[in-house]
């Protein structure tokens, strides 16, 4: 039997929890964040990409030059190509960077500066900016059941994709995705005006999030601007004023200096080509490979084929084409395809603007942008992977989809960390993530008849074969390819990863599309 004092203490603790539920949620989230921060600090000495010097240069030019020259400076090849709010953010960071080490913010003497001070400062700036992500997760989950809340924290706060991209490779995706989640959380709770305002702010930080713009527009027009012609028109004017005010705050100073055209040129460099240097695992991988195969088969059959006169990644020059057989793809074609792919979602948002569906619809829009967009980076898969973590707890079917998609997304990021010393890091991160997902989803849906009846999280035989295939792709790239080809065909393992992950991404897109169409 329990001692009376013990029972009294337990009752007191339970009473305290009921009185201050948010205090205990914050305490739990603090420990989740603390563990994540501990591992982020361990990654400070790890490899970093050229994005590290990109952001250091942005610190330097926003600190050294007047605002009128931010988007014209070419001292470094890593010119400023993000929207103004991100430039203001970099300028804010210089207040601290210049105190830590003045060379960090020296535009001319700081080129390719790699002192420990700059490495530590920039790493810590990313860790500090993640507080926005932590806050957004708190707002999204503070009224959820304990299991669901913890599971979302595991998927987002401990996301291996964010650790790889932000805290090794180096970027600020956690910060930006935190802003997105704040907006989505507001829409879920019916705070449409604030949700629209925050999304407008996000677009002025990073314009690539504009892919979900049509979904936001249709949803807010139908959900926020309802209530008759007079009331609806008033709300439309209010929303428009708020959004225009945000864009004026961002772009107004540059318009004053006559720099708008230069800003837009930097933000939309369509000359970069259809694909990134490492092909993102999307639809265009199949298109490019189909062109290569067709050219090879036709040449073997005796037909004359025109060799490519331009690069897939370097942009189009004049009338030159990187394709031998298939039609050349330009930015306007990709824009039309993305819009067409999103259209079923827009129809659903128009007919039934449901706050419970907005996260799913926005994630679907980013999936379409990733699969069919122009010059897509592999890191953009985080734009839909992180929001879908909120959806993954809703049903066993959503959990199964997320389990596969998350593995595909994280594995597609492996080529970003190509040095030998980082290999154990990315492998351990993925395996640990898989184990946590398996345990978390199994615990969340332990009472689901579908989970035990259909063979757990991976229910279909084709899905099991596909997941096992990742082992084959990795073994080939790490061990078999060097033995068979040596230093020849270095692009082949990367191509295999792109192609194999693209299969999973297409599967996810089809699954999401079916879900969007079926749900009312």
């Amino acid at each position: 039997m329990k001692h009376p004092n013990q029972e009294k203490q337990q009752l007191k603790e339970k009473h305290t929890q009921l009185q201050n539920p948010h205090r205990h949620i914050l305490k739990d989230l603090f420990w989740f964040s603390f563990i994540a921060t501990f591992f982020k600090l361990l990654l400070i000495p790890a490899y970093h990409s050229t994005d590290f010097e990109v952001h250091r240069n942005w610190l330097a030019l926003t600190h050294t030059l007047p605002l009128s020259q931010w988007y014209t400076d070419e001292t470094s090849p890593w010119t400023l190509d993000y929207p103004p709010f991100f430039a203001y953010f970099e300028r804010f960071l210089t207040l601290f960077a210049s105190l830590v080490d003045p060379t960090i913010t020296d535009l001319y003497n700081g080129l390719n500066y790699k002192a420990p001070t700059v490495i530590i400062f920039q790493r810590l700036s990313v860790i500090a900016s993640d507080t926005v992500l932590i806050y957004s997760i708190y707002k999204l989950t503070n009224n959820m059941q304990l299991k669901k809340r913890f599971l979302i924290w595991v998927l987002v706060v401990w996301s291996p994709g964010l650790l790889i991209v932000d805290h090794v490779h180096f970027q600020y995706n956690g910060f930006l995705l935190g802003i997105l989640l704040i907006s989505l959380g507001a829409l879920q709770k019916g705070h449409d005006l604030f949700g629209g305002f925050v999304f407008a702010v996000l677009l002025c930080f990073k314009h690539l999030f504009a892919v979900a713009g049509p979904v936001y527009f249709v949803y807010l027009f139908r959900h926020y601007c309802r209530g008759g012609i007079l009331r609806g028109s008033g709300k439309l004017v209010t929303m428009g004023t708020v959004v225009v005010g945000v864009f004026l705050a961002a772009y107004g100073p540059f318009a004053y200096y006559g720099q708008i055209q230069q800003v837009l040129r930097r933000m939309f460099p369509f000359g970069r080509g259809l694909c990134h240097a490492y092909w993102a695992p999307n639809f265009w991988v199949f298109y490019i490979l189909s062109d290569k195969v067709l050219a090879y088969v036709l040449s073997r059959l005796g037909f004359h084929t025109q060799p490519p006169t331009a690069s897939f990644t370097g942009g189009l020059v004049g009338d030159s084409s990187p394709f031998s057989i298939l039609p050349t793809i330009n930015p306007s074609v990709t824009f039309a395809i993305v819009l067409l792919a999103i259209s079923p979602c827009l129809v659903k948002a128009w007919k039934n603007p449901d706050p419970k569906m907005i996260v799913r619809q926005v994630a679907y829009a980013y999936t379409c942008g990733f699969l069919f967009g122009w010059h897509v980076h592999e890191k953009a898969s985080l734009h839909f992977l992180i929001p879908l973590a909120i959806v993954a707890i809703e049903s066993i079917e959503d959990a199964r989809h997320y389990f596969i998609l998350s593995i595909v997304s994280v594995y597609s990021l492996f080529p970003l960390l190509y040095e030998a010393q980082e290999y154990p890091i990315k492998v351990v991160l993925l395996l640990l993530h898989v184990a946590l997902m398996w345990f978390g989803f199994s615990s969340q849906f332990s009472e689901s008849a579908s989970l035990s009846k259909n063979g757990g999280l991976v229910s279909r035989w084709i899905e099991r074969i596909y997941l096992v295939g990742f082992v084959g792709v990795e073994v080939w790239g790490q061990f078999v390819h060097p033995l068979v080809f040596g230093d020849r065909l270095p692009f082949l393992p990367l191509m295999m990863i792109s192609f194999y992950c693209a299969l999973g991404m297409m599967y996810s897109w089809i699954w999401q599309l079916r879900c969007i169409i079926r749900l009312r």
Side-chain angles (χ1 to χ4, degrees):
M1 286 183 65
K2 290 183 180 179
H3 193 277
N5 289 337
Q6 287 181 325
E7 291 184 356
K8 191 181 291 185
Q9 181 66 24
Q10 287 179 355
L11 287 172
K12 185 178 179 181
E13 289 177 359
K14 189 174 182 180
H15 179 69
T16 305
Q17 288 179 8
L18 291 173
Q19 282 188 323
N20 304 294
H22 295 292
R23 180 180 174 186
H24 288 273
I25 293 171
L26 285 170
K27 182 180 176 182
D28 292 337
L29 184 55
F30 168 79
W31 283 109
F32 265 82
S33 306
F34 178 80
I35 293 169
T37 302
F38 174 76
F39 284 102
K40 292 170 187 177
L41 291 172
L42 292 178
L43 294 173
I44 285 178
Y47 153 84
H48 55 262
S49 70
T50 53
D51 281 336
F52 194 87
E53 172 60 18
V54 169
H55 286 279
R56 191 219 57 80
N57 184 63
W58 293 359
L59 289 172
L61 72 87
T62 55
H63 178 79
T64 307
L65 300 175
L67 182 142
S68 60
Q69 298 178 30
W70 286 2
Y71 286 92
T72 58
D73 177 72
E74 295 183 350
T75 305
S76 165
W78 312 118
T79 52
L80 181 60
D81 57 6
Y82 272 29
F85 274 179
F86 203 93
Y88 301 156
F89 171 67
E90 295 279 5
R91 180 68 181 88
F92 170 73
L93 291 178
T94 64
L95 300 177
F96 308 97
S98 58
L99 296 176
V100 172
D101 184 348
T103 310
I104 297 175
T105 55
D106 191 318
L107 183 61
Y108 307 104
N109 297 320
L111 289 173
N112 299 311
Y113 189 49
K114 296 180 180 179
T117 49
V118 66
I119 293 173
I120 293 171
F121 175 80
Q122 291 199 239
R123 292 289 197 197
L124 291 179
S125 71
V126 178
I127 294 173
S129 69
D130 278 349
T131 53
V132 177
L133 179 67
I134 304 301
Y135 173 76
S136 70
I137 287 299
Y138 166 73
K139 295 297 289 183
L140 275 165
T141 62
N142 59 2
N143 292 319
M144 289 185 179
Q145 297 172 357
L146 184 66
K147 273 188 181 180
K148 290 183 176 181
R149 188 163 63 236
F150 275 25
L151 185 50
I152 290 177
W153 293 355
V154 167
L155 298 178
V156 177
V157 179
W158 292 355
S159 167
L162 286 175
L163 284 172
I164 289 173
V165 174
D166 284 5
H167 302 281
V168 182
H169 181 80
F170 191 82
Q171 276 193 348
Y172 291 88
N173 290 282
F175 167 63
L176 297 169
L177 287 166
I179 300 175
L180 174 65
L181 294 183
I182 291 172
S183 172
L184 292 175
L187 297 186
Q188 277 189 325
K189 295 174 181 176
H191 305 150
D192 291 350
L193 185 62
F194 182 68
F197 163 75
V198 175
F199 184 68
V201 170
L202 175 63
L203 297 188
C204 294
F205 269 100
K206 191 169 184 178
H207 52 301
L208 299 182
F209 283 95
V211 176
V215 175
Y216 265 84
F217 177 81
V218 171
Y219 174 83
L220 290 172
F221 183 76
R222 293 288 291 159
H223 190 264
Y224 178 71
C225 301
R226 59 188 176 182
I229 296 177
L230 258 177
R231 189 180 176 191
S233 299
K235 286 187 172 182
L236 181 62
V237 170
T238 302
M239 179 66 74
T241 303
V242 168
V243 173
V244 169
V246 170
F247 278 82
L248 281 176
Y251 293 91
F254 298 95
Y256 176 80
Y257 289 111
Q259 293 289 312
I260 285 297
Q261 285 190 344
Q262 179 61 24
V263 172
L264 295 177
R265 250 195 306 271
R266 285 282 182 84
M267 287 169 53
F268 300 98
F270 291 121
R272 286 182 178 176
L274 176 63
C275 295
H276 193 238
Y278 159 58
W279 299 351
N282 60 14
F283 171 78
W284 302 117
V285 170
F286 305 121
Y287 192 85
I288 293 169
L289 290 178
S290 298
D291 182 77
K292 299 291 186 185
V293 171
L294 282 172
Y296 175 77
V297 171
L298 290 175
S299 64
R300 296 290 290 180
L301 292 175
F303 292 94
H304 174 72
T305 58
Q306 184 69 30
T309 54
S311 166
F312 295 110
T313 61
L316 307 180
V317 181
D319 296 325
S320 60
S321 171
F323 296 101
S324 299
I325 306 297
L326 297 178
T328 296
I329 302 298
N330 57 45
S332 59
V333 171
T334 61
F335 177 80
I337 295 174
V338 170
L339 201 57
L340 180 64
I342 295 175
S343 58
C345 182
L346 300 180
V347 172
K348 282 289 182 179
W350 180 271
K351 289 183 176 179
N352 182 25
D354 185 357
K356 295 178 181 178
M357 287 292 294
I358 188 61
V359 174
R360 195 184 295 273
Q361 290 168 342
V362 167
Y364 173 75
Y366 286 130
T367 305
C368 294
F370 180 85
L371 281 175
F372 306 110
W374 178 266
H375 198 77
V376 173
H377 289 233
E378 64 288 335
K379 298 166 286 232
S381 64
L382 295 173
H383 293 183
F384 52 90
L385 182 68
I386 297 301
L388 282 174
I390 313 301
V391 175
I393 61 168
E394 293 184 5
S395 70
I396 183 61
E397 289 76 19
D398 286 307
R400 284 172 173 154
H401 165 252
Y402 188 86
F403 182 78
I404 295 173
L405 174 63
S406 189
I407 294 172
V408 173
S409 176
V410 174
Y411 185 74
S412 72
L413 300 173
F414 270 30
L416 292 177
L417 310 185
Y418 57 86
E419 294 188 356
Q421 62 265 31
E422 274 75 44
Y423 185 75
I425 295 175
K426 60 186 181 184
V427 172
V428 169
L429 283 175
L430 177 56
L431 294 178
L432 184 60
H433 181 61
V434 170
L436 288 171
M437 282 197 298
W438 188 278
F439 175 79
F441 286 133
S442 299
S443 176
Q444 170 64 27
F445 301 104
S446 57
E447 298 179 3
S448 171
S450 177
L451 183 66
S452 55
K453 183 179 178 181
N454 296 327
L457 278 176
V458 187
S459 57
R460 298 179 180 87
W461 64 268
I462 193 167
E463 293 173 348
R464 295 173 184 173
I465 293 174
Y466 177 72
L467 291 178
V468 171
F470 280 105
V471 178
V473 172
E474 187 63 13
V475 168
W476 172 271
Q478 292 297 320
F479 306 107
V480 179
H481 183 88
L483 290 174
V484 175
F485 295 104
D487 295 332
R488 291 176 295 135
L489 305 178
F491 61 88
L492 185 57
L494 294 178
M495 188 191 302
M496 289 178 64
I497 293 174
S498 293
F499 176 80
Y500 201 73
C501 290
L503 293 173
M505 291 294 182
M506 291 298 295
Y507 163 82
S508 173
W509 173 67
I510 294 169
W511 189 93
Q512 290 181 64
L513 178 59
R514 288 179 60 195
C515 194
I516 292 288
I517 293 173
R518 287 180 176 180
L519 289 178
R520 296 182 179 180

